Amino acid sequence: MRCECGKNAIEKIGNRYYCKECYSKRYLSLVERSIRRYGILKRGERVLAAVSGGKDSVAMIAALKELEDKLGIKVEALHINLGIGEYSKKSEEVCRELCDNLGIPLHVVTLSEYGFTISDVRKKACSVCGNAKRYIMNRFAREQGFDVVATGHCAEDIVANVLKNLYSGNFEWSEKLLPRIEGYFKFVSKAKPLYEIGEKENLLFVLSRRLTFLPDECPKAPDPKWKELVYVIEKRIPGFKKGVLRSLVKREKVEGELKSCKICGEPTSTEVCQFCRNVKKFGKVRKIPL
């Protein structure tokens, strides 16, 4: 089949076929519309985009670079090497090649600098990994003067977590899944530019632009059952994802009381932050770089 412009199509959306070029334009338009709709990024902001090398973060940073002038933002990238053997090595290589091709400054932080890696964690590795990434992203962004941290969470990621939180009785955690969370205390603002964009759309954009990305699944990745459930429901109830996402933004964010960790000084609700506790538990060098 052919696109309206006459070129070979790669995707059919609704009643229209899209070629690579027209699909790419449509994708950028959707990302821009989502960013403006929810105020995800603001004009004049210095944005630190977290990249892992996977299709979602690659699509995000490529789109932000393309929309930089339109949105009035300045984008730089951060990659965190988690020390997961060959996977982390390939992830960093992909991010370096990608950012070099896109002309985006790349900052790399290695988790081992803090005394441990995710390979040292035997149980609940995903929980420790998530905490480490949030800690490093926030601390690096604040210390380097960035206004906001952007992550590549896509629609399925967010809705899957909403369902998981609802099931576990921790629905209040879903406030962390909002498209933008304003910074307070020592927290830098957090943004999800792909809030309403799906995995398939990200993959097609990456392929249409021939962008470098890592197709490998993280060896520590959790069971994808919650995300699979989202796809099942969406197939039975078209528009389910968008309905959940738009309902979520209606919730009012409640900020808890925070203090500074007595070890590293980063924000926490307890005397010692979870990251410092993980360093003590898993680290070979029990010291937080200051």
Side-chain angles (χ1 to χ4, degrees):
M1 302 301 294
R2 292 189 176 277
C3 175
E4 288 183 359
C5 71
K7 297 179 181 178
N8 290 331
I10 62 167
E11 177 69 349
K12 182 183 180 183
I13 302 173
N15 294 319
R16 181 181 169 182
Y17 289 90
Y18 290 84
C19 67
K20 291 180 180 180
E21 291 77 10
C22 290
Y23 178 83
S24 181
K25 291 178 182 177
R26 178 184 184 275
Y27 178 89
L28 290 171
S29 176
L30 289 175
V31 173
E32 181 184 0
R33 185 176 71 183
S34 184
I35 289 173
R36 295 188 187 281
R37 178 188 183 102
Y38 298 110
I40 296 175
L41 298 172
K42 300 177 181 179
R43 185 165 294 275
E45 286 189 320
R46 188 172 174 228
V47 180
L48 182 65
V51 290
S52 64
K55 65 184 185 310
D56 298 321
S57 65
V58 167
M60 174 194 68
I61 197 166
L64 292 183
K65 180 62 179 177
E66 187 83 13
L67 296 169
E68 215 171 23
D69 292 337
K70 267 191 172 185
L71 298 173
I73 59 175
K74 191 65 180 176
V75 181
E76 296 184 31
L78 171 67
H79 175 70
I80 302 172
N81 187 312
L82 299 164
I84 309 176
E86 191 64 22
Y87 174 80
S88 286
K89 181 181 177 182
K90 290 194 289 186
S91 294
E92 183 175 331
E93 290 173 351
V94 165
C95 290
R96 289 188 182 279
E97 182 180 344
L98 172 74
C99 290
D100 184 57
N101 290 338
L102 293 176
I104 298 174
L106 172 67
H107 308 275
V108 177
V109 175
T110 304
L111 183 58
S112 60
E113 296 172 11
Y114 290 85
F116 77 101
T117 68
I118 299 304
S119 293
D120 297 321
V121 183
R122 301 305 174 199
K123 295 181 179 180
K124 297 184 177 181
C126 286
S127 177
V128 175
C129 181
N131 171 262
K133 288 188 289 188
R134 290 189 297 271
Y135 179 96
I136 292 172
M137 286 189 294
N138 186 72
R139 181 171 177 174
F140 185 90
R142 190 186 69 247
E143 292 179 347
Q144 299 300 318
F146 286 91
D147 299 298
V148 59
V149 175
T151 57
H153 293 91
C154 65
E156 288 85 2
D157 294 327
I158 298 164
V159 176
N161 275 292
V162 168
L163 294 179
K164 185 177 179 181
N165 292 339
L166 182 63
Y167 174 79
S168 64
N170 296 303
F171 191 68
E172 69 276 6
W173 291 359
S174 296
E175 291 171 350
K176 298 177 181 179
L177 303 171
L178 292 168
R180 180 179 172 109
I181 301 175
E182 296 296 345
Y184 70 106
F185 193 51
K186 293 185 179 181
F187 281 117
V188 176
S189 296
K190 306 298 188 298
K192 300 176 183 65
L194 305 182
Y195 188 72
E196 284 193 352
I197 313 299
E199 280 189 319
K200 182 180 178 181
E201 294 167 302
N202 293 332
L203 178 60
L204 283 173
F205 177 69
V206 167
L207 294 175
S208 69
R209 286 296 183 92
R210 296 184 179 180
L211 296 169
T212 302
F213 78 103
L214 182 66
D216 303 13
E217 185 75 36
C218 174
K220 301 283 187 177
D223 187 329
K225 58 188 176 185
W226 289 102
K227 193 176 289 186
E228 290 172 356
L229 179 59
V230 173
Y231 282 111
V232 171
I233 299 175
E234 180 69 25
K235 186 174 181 179
R236 292 291 300 274
I237 311 174
F240 170 77
K241 288 186 298 182
K242 188 168 290 187
V244 171
L245 293 168
R246 294 187 176 178
S247 295
L248 184 60
V249 296
K250 296 177 183 178
R251 288 178 55 83
E252 183 178 352
K253 184 178 182 297
V254 179
E255 297 175 351
E257 183 178 349
L258 294 174
K259 60 186 79 174
S260 296
C261 171
K262 68 179 184 180
I263 294 178
C264 70
E266 291 300 295
T268 178
S269 58
T270 56
E271 291 297 316
V272 177
C273 74
Q274 184 61 55
F275 184 76
C276 284
R277 280 180 274 165
N278 287 338
V279 169
K280 183 178 181 180
K281 183 176 181 179
F282 303 110
K284 302 177 182 65
V285 180
R286 305 185 189 284
K287 179 181 178 182
I288 297 290
L290 298 175

